[in-house]
């Protein structure tokens, strides 16, 4: 029977997409002043997902405001392979791509790592965990979408919880060390459910920036209360 994996440090990665778009630098400051170390950057192309956010220029501008935060960059693009170099150059630390579009996924993940960046693979709520099996040895993080990507403030889809459990089991069985991240509808009610299922990294946008007591919100997302 496989040995029990060492519990990973719990991380909250606030999504800058939920900050004031006219003052993204101030949103970055809020994250930093809360003592957090990760910042989630949602990159949307209006093709793979029905919305457009921002590109590598904004990531570069945010990086110029802070060189200490870990930029957790989520490419929701039909052809992420065409952009990984641009986001790496802009200051991304982790570049996550989706499993659903048609592009050379394994090659793209290897390119991300060759650029000196961490690589992640993501899947939508209706994509089975098994779709990631060919790529698990190439990644540092698996991102489970708990809403259909495109817009913030959506309701958490609880049907993804067994998928998180499956990925945690696969990690144990394969002796993997990839992080399991959850994005979509994460708040003080759903965060503990994600952690209990095996997640160790949570993305929160609206709930984080609107939280009246951010210190408590962070503790909940870290499993500390």
């Amino acid at each position: 029977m496989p040995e029990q994996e060492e519990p990973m440090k719990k991380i909250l990665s606030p999504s800058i997409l939920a900050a004031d778009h006219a003052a993204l630098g101030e949103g970055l400051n809020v994250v930093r002043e809360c003592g957090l170390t990760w910042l989630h950057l949602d990159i949307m192309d209006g093709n793979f997902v029905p919305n457009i956010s921002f590109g590598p220029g904004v990531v570069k501008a945010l990086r110029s405001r802070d060189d200490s935060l870990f930029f957790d960059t989520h490419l929701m693009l039909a052809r992420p392979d065409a952009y990984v170099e641009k986001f790496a150059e802009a200051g991304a630390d982790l570049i996550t791509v989706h499993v659903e579009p048609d592009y050379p996924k394994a090659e793209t993940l290897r390119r991300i790592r060759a650029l000196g960046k961490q690589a992640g693979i993501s899947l939508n709520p209706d994509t089975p965990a098994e779709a990631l099996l060919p790529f698990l040895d190439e990644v540092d993080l698996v991102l489970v979408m708990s809403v259909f990507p495109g817009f913030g403030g959506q309701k958490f889809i609880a049907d993804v919880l067994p998928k998180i459990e499956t990925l945690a089991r696969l990690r144990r069985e394969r002796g993997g060390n990839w992080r399991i991240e959850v994005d979509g509808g994460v708040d003080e009610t759903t965060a503990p459910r994600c952690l209990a299922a095996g997640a160790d990294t949570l993305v929160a946008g609206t709930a984080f920036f609107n939280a009246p007591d951010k210190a408590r919100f962070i503790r909940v997302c870290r499993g500390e209360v």
Side-chain angles (χ1 to χ4, degrees):
M1 187 171 181
E3 294 183 5
Q4 178 66 38
E5 66 188 26
E6 289 294 323
M8 288 192 176
K9 178 182 177 181
K10 305 298 187 295
I11 289 175
L12 173 62
S13 185
S15 173
I16 197 70
L17 193 66
D20 181 352
H21 284 202
L24 291 179
E26 292 179 17
L28 181 150
N29 290 340
V30 169
V31 173
R32 184 175 52 206
E33 289 164 4
C34 284
L36 297 171
T37 57
W38 281 41
L39 182 73
H40 192 80
L41 299 151
D42 286 305
I43 312 300
M44 300 184 287
D45 65 357
N47 186 356
F48 176 60
V49 295
N51 198 4
I52 297 173
S53 58
F54 45 80
V58 171
V59 175
K60 183 177 181 180
L62 289 170
R63 176 55 81 198
S64 72
R65 297 283 295 266
D66 187 281
D67 61 4
S68 62
L69 284 170
F70 184 87
F71 277 17
D72 170 21
T73 310
H74 179 195
L75 303 188
M76 289 171 275
L77 310 178
R79 290 300 306 267
D81 53 316
Y83 294 93
V84 293
E85 282 84 4
K86 293 183 184 300
F87 283 100
E89 292 168 3
D93 294 295
L94 164 69
I95 299 176
T96 297
V97 296
H98 268 261
V99 73
E100 292 88 3
D102 183 14
Y103 66 98
K105 289 176 269 288
E107 176 188 329
T108 300
L109 292 167
R110 289 192 291 268
R111 279 170 51 207
I112 292 170
R113 283 181 153 182
L115 290 164
K117 308 300 180 179
Q118 293 188 29
I121 191 85
S122 182
L123 72 176
N124 284 338
D126 57 352
T127 302
E130 290 72 20
L132 301 185
L133 289 175
F135 312 108
L136 291 176
D137 293 335
E138 305 286 349
V139 299
D140 303 283
L141 177 143
V142 170
L143 169 55
V144 177
M145 292 302 301
S146 43
V147 300
F148 285 94
F151 298 93
Q154 296 186 65
K155 184 179 179 181
F156 181 85
I157 298 173
D159 289 348
V160 305
L161 291 169
K163 189 186 305 185
I164 299 168
E165 294 171 353
T166 296
L167 289 165
R169 174 179 58 77
L170 287 169
R171 184 169 61 183
R172 289 193 299 272
E173 292 175 352
R174 296 168 68 121
N177 61 358
W178 61 82
R179 303 194 71 88
I180 299 175
E181 183 174 59
V182 181
D183 182 2
V186 173
D187 57 25
E188 290 195 29
T189 300
T190 58
R193 300 176 71 187
C194 294
L195 296 175
D200 46 64
T201 309
L202 301 180
V203 176
T206 304
F208 170 77
F209 283 103
N210 291 347
D213 185 345
K214 287 183 173 54
R216 173 178 169 77
F217 185 85
I218 292 167
R219 291 196 302 273
V220 170
C221 289
R222 288 175 172 171
E224 296 171 354
V225 293

